Amino acid sequence: MEIILLAISEACLWAILAIGVYLMYKILDIADLSVEGVFPLGAAVCAIMLTNGVNPFLATFLSLMAGMLAGLLGSLLHTKLKIPALLTGILVMSGLYSINLRIMQKPNISLSNVTTVFSALENYISKEYVSLIVGIITLIIVITLLYLFYKTELGLAFIATGDNEVMAQANSINTDNMKIIGYMISNALVALSGALLSQYNGFADAQSGVGTIVIGLAAVIIGGVLVKKATFTKRLMLVVIGAIIYRLIISLALEMNIEATDLKLISAIILAVFLAAPNLKIAKKVKVI
């Protein structure tokens, strides 16, 4: 039971990143590889702030803002300099690796002896539930804000840009501005996830971003396989469920004494299975007909 609780707690924190990936990958149809640089950026900013005595909630918020700035940079490279999205992600990811090392001044920082969001709340919440409650509250805030954004004229223009960019432009929507907004929101969420997970794990590492795009995509794809047609809000909730299922599978793999070095391979296999599942169903139906 404790293992399941820990898996769900961690999944809630990863789900924040997954929602950011969902906005780019599913809504705007952009593969943003900068996630692997922005995630450790959030961790690096948060860690250096915490070790210098900054309030953990303020440090976490500043990490979110750092991610937003990284998103602004990536969006300008893509929309104004017309660099393809894939190359933009690679450029930002590569540049952020050096920036993250500059921020931390070393490859990793321990947070075991500093006050974090989780340790600050342990005086009010039972220790074994604090990470789960922080994750759930953060997700509720994120999903609520995105729902309210979706209901605005700007939010509808954002969705329209992803659905059909040419038609959106024909309706006088500045699609470049919508992409800039998407990059900024997405990267802010990724950095927020990095900041919270670094506090949860007790350290920040410049290499922590490796493979994060796979984790985000796995949550998005697993959630998408569960239900085909759903509203925007339900889609976000499905991403959270996808993240929980993914973490439970990984936790089960670890319980089976699978080597930690093989986790990336397992992640890739899980992603491949869920990507192939809808196609196998279609092929089976065609064969029956």
Side-chain angles (χ1 to χ4, degrees), residues 16-17 26 97 108 118 135 168 190 212 215 237 247 276:
I16 301 167
L17 174 142
K26 284 292 187 180
Y97 180 76
N108 52 69
F118 303 101
V190 172
T212 51
I215 296 172
M237 292 178 180
R247 289 311 306 177

Side-chain angles (χ1 to χ4, degrees), residues 199-252:
Q199 295 174 76
Y200 174 82
N201 293 322
F203 67 92
D205 193 298
Q207 297 282 356
S208 62
V210 177
T212 51
I213 186 67
V214 176
I215 296 172
L217 286 174
V220 171
I221 291 164
I222 292 171
V225 169
L226 296 175
V227 178
K228 287 297 179 184
K229 293 182 179 180
T231 62
F232 178 71
T233 308
K234 288 181 179 178
R235 286 286 182 189
L236 296 180
M237 292 178 180
L238 286 170
V239 171
V240 176
I241 294 171
I244 292 172
I245 293 173
Y246 174 80
R247 289 311 306 177
L248 287 173
I249 294 173
I250 294 297
S251 296
L252 178 62

Side-chain angles (χ1 to χ4, degrees), residues 6-49:
L6 288 173
I8 294 174
S9 299
E10 191 172 352
C12 287
L13 302 179
W14 279 112
I16 301 167
L17 174 142
I19 290 174
V21 172
Y22 172 81
L23 293 177
M24 294 299 290
Y25 180 68
K26 284 292 187 180
I27 301 298
L28 289 182
D29 195 25
I30 294 176
D32 183 18
L33 297 182
S34 65
V35 168
E36 300 204 353
V38 176
F39 181 84
L41 172 66
V45 172
C46 187
I48 203 67
M49 291 285 180

Side-chain angles (χ1 to χ4, degrees), residues 45-92:
V45 172
C46 187
I48 203 67
M49 291 285 180
L50 292 176
T51 52
N52 282 282
V54 176
N55 180 281
F57 295 96
L58 177 59
T60 303
F61 176 74
L62 292 174
S63 299
L64 181 149
M65 296 303 295
M68 191 172 287
L69 287 174
L72 176 61
L73 173 62
S75 65
L76 293 177
L77 289 174
H78 176 53
T79 60
K80 304 305 179 184
L81 299 184
K82 305 303 178 184
I83 299 174
L86 189 62
L87 292 178
T88 295
I90 294 172
L91 288 173
V92 174

